[in-house]
Amino acid sequence: MDTGGTDRSEDDRGGIRTALTGLTTRGRSFLAAGIAAAVCAYVLGQSDLLRVGLLLGVLPLVCATVLYRTRYRVAGSRRLSPGRVPAGSEARVHLRVENVSRLPTGLLMLQDRVPYVLGPRPRFVLDRVEPGGRREVSYRVRSDLRGRYPLGPLQLRLTDPFGLCELTRSFSTYDTLTVTPRVEALPPVRLSGEAKGYGEGRQRSLALAGDDDVIPRGYRYGDDLRRVHWRSTARYGELMVRREEQPQRARCTVLLDTRGGAYEGAGPDSAFEWAVSGAASVLVHMLERGFSVRLLTDTGNSVPGEGAADGFAGASQGTADAAGLMMDTLAVIDHSDGTGLSRAYDVLRGGNEGLLVAFFGDLDEEQATVAAKMRQRSGGAVAFVLDAGIWAGEPVGAPGPLDRSEERLRMLREAGWTVVNVPRGASLEELWRLADRERTGLATASGGEGAR
């Protein structure tokens, strides 16, 4: 980066004006004192005082001109470690400044622009940097609010040795820090709708290894020769091998209700932020357990979307990449303008979606009916409901909105949902265990009734 002015003559007048605006308080004081001394010397006829006035007045002008004409070629870079952090965690920003010119620099004041939610603006003072030399500094940033925050551009403030003038030069590039929702570690409970062998999250298709039922395929480089099926090889005239059991990853859909009217309050402790953090925790947990997962919102938008096989991530994509994609989405997700869950239901009714984990806000009778129908296309369904009355601290059993809320939750339970009410400040880990206990109790009760 060239931190000096240009050499074009048409910029000289503007350059002088820019240099004068960079005078510090000390520089302006020197200039004012020089002018005052010159005026007094003219009035009083004191030539010695005139010399002092000229010295005081010319010195800041010379410093401003020299500083403006000084051309430093300085390269700067920024590195985030890491570039994606959960809310409440710290990230370190590493800055490096390199003098790529043949002249040493003077005193440099380094400043990086950061949003106010990440903390105070960092400032560093760098002493003389030799030709080809470099300086490295770092600072920390932290945010309790999820989002994507720009860092930069990096600014250099140049000063003269007397501190009479300061000029600011900026780099043009910036980086982005992604603050994701908090993720809570969840215990490996067994919920309805998961595949057998939940520890792997996989199902197996039959290999059909009998001689009469074999479905062979062509030989591929690297196949084990012990899998060659000689009868099919003789029939087709080319080397054929038996198919092995094909693993199929169990599926899990995490539904996040983002309707603006379904939640009250704002900030890191609000119900909506709890729901976002809960969805992130379930997504990461299911990916770690070997599931193919996707994030679905009330608007019908799903992540990872059409780029992944069947709209799910984890089977064709790396687990880390899939988690990063969905966490980046949750980092910037906001309330939607929709008022219903019908679009999400249209996506879910397309087929068997395996396990369905939903985070709902307030549900009226119509939306509770739509949510109840979502259970028909899933192997199991768990709903975490963040009722506004409970989050507002209304006593349980009080007449009014809570009675209507219990009626809607009863509709979900009758449809086969495992429903958990979420109180303010609740731990998702405990609610996750509670959902497992409730589901186990329902299954036991159903089995007992069938035995009678």
Side-chain angles (χ1 to χ4, degrees):
M1 168 187 168
D2 189 349
T3 63
T6 62
D7 292 331
R8 296 176 296 180
S9 59
E10 58 267 27
D11 292 341
D12 287 346
R13 184 174 302 177
I16 294 175
R17 188 181 297 112
T18 302
L20 292 178
T21 58
L23 290 176
T24 63
T25 302
R26 181 185 300 177
R28 292 189 177 95
S29 300
F30 268 60
L31 183 60
I35 294 175
V39 171
C40 291
Y42 176 78
V43 173
L44 301 176
Q46 296 290 331
S47 58
D48 292 338
L49 184 58
L50 179 61
R51 296 189 187 96
V52 174
L54 291 175
L55 176 62
L56 293 177
V58 170
L59 184 59
L61 298 178
V62 171
C63 289
T65 303
V66 172
L67 185 63
Y68 183 80
R69 291 297 183 182
T70 300
R71 298 178 61 86
Y72 295 137
R73 296 188 61 85
V74 179
S77 63
R78 182 190 299 103
R79 179 172 57 87
L80 303 181
S81 178
R84 182 192 295 120
V85 295
S89 300
E90 290 185 344
R92 182 172 289 276
V93 183
H94 301 269
L95 303 176
R96 186 174 70 175
V97 176
E98 184 176 0
N99 182 12
V100 296
S101 67
R102 298 180 179 180
L103 298 176
T105 69
L107 187 67
L108 299 178
M109 298 179 63
L110 189 64
Q111 176 178 278
D112 205 10
R113 299 184 62 180
V114 300
Y116 71 95
V117 296
L118 297 183
R121 181 171 296 183
R123 293 181 174 90
F124 305 93
V125 178
L126 304 181
D127 203 353
R128 175 180 178 274
V129 182
E130 65 279 4
R134 65 181 62 178
R135 299 290 186 272
E136 294 185 3
V137 293
S138 65
Y139 64 93
R140 296 179 179 179
V141 291
R142 179 182 181 273
S143 174
D144 292 326
L145 298 175
R146 58 184 177 83
R148 292 171 63 90
Y149 301 103
L151 301 178
L154 189 63
Q155 294 180 330
L156 286 177
R157 300 179 64 185
L158 313 176
T159 62
D160 65 281
F162 301 102
L164 302 179
C165 184
E166 288 183 356
L167 294 180
T168 302
R169 298 289 184 263
S170 297
F171 293 84
S172 58
T173 60
Y174 65 93
D175 294 282
T176 302
L177 175 68
T178 302
V179 180
T180 61
R182 291 183 175 89
V183 174
E184 189 172 348
L186 301 180
V189 301
R190 181 184 296 276
L191 295 172
S192 176
E194 66 201 22
K196 296 180 179 179
Y198 174 69
E200 295 180 348
R202 295 174 182 266
Q203 294 174 328
R204 297 272 182 179
S205 61
L206 295 178
L208 300 177
D211 286 343
D212 296 332
D213 297 327
V214 166
I215 303 178
R217 62 167 175 82
Y219 175 83
R220 298 171 186 169
Y221 179 78
D223 285 339
D224 191 346
L225 292 178
R226 289 174 294 181
R227 291 171 49 204
V228 173
H229 191 257
W230 298 108
R231 181 177 299 179
S232 298
T233 298
R235 179 183 304 173
Y236 293 103
E238 61 177 327
L239 203 59
M240 307 292 289
V241 296
R242 287 188 294 267
R243 293 180 183 270
E244 290 182 334
E245 292 182 341
Q246 302 297 320
Q248 297 177 349
R249 297 168 72 100
R251 292 179 173 181
C252 175
T253 298
V254 178
L255 173 60
L256 176 61
D257 182 6
T258 64
R259 295 173 297 142
Y263 301 92
E264 294 183 3
D269 296 328
S270 64
F272 181 67
E273 292 301 322
W274 193 99
V276 174
S277 177
S281 301
V282 173
L283 286 169
V284 172
H285 174 71
M286 289 302 181
L287 280 172
E288 291 176 348
R289 303 299 295 180
F291 278 66
S292 293
V293 301
R294 71 172 171 180
L295 171 67
L296 179 66
T297 65
D298 58 288
T299 61
N301 296 326
S302 63
V303 180
E306 299 179 357
D310 300 327
F312 287 81
S316 60
Q317 299 180 2
T319 300
D321 294 339
L325 178 61
M326 288 181 282
M327 294 299 285
D328 287 347
T329 302
L330 290 175
V332 296
I333 200 168
D334 203 353
H335 293 293
S336 67
D337 297 330
T339 58
L341 301 171
S342 57
R343 293 182 180 178
Y345 171 68
D346 291 339
V347 176
L348 291 172
R349 69 179 180 178
N352 190 344
E353 304 301 333
L355 178 63
L356 174 61
V357 181
F359 292 85
F360 292 121
D362 278 338
L363 295 173
D364 56 23
E365 184 176 358
E366 178 182 358
Q367 303 312 316
T369 302
V370 175
K373 292 189 296 184
M374 294 179 182
R375 172 66 180 84
Q376 301 172 0
R377 292 295 184 177
S378 62
V382 181
F384 296 93
V385 182
L386 292 85
D387 184 81
I390 296 178
W391 277 72
E394 296 181 11
V396 178
L402 286 181
D403 291 338
R404 295 192 295 271
S405 174
E406 286 297 328
E407 175 64 22
R408 292 153 193 164
L409 297 184
R410 184 184 61 81
M411 294 173 57
L412 296 181
R413 291 190 178 98
E414 290 179 351
W417 283 85
T418 300
V419 183
V420 178
N421 260 324
V422 180
R424 176 182 288 274
S427 168
L428 179 60
E429 179 184 359
E430 295 299 325
L431 296 181
W432 190 253
R433 296 182 186 274
L434 176 61
D436 175 51
R437 291 195 296 269
E438 289 194 4
R439 186 63 198 178
T440 302
L442 289 175
T444 303
S446 301
E449 292 177 358
R452 292 192 185 97

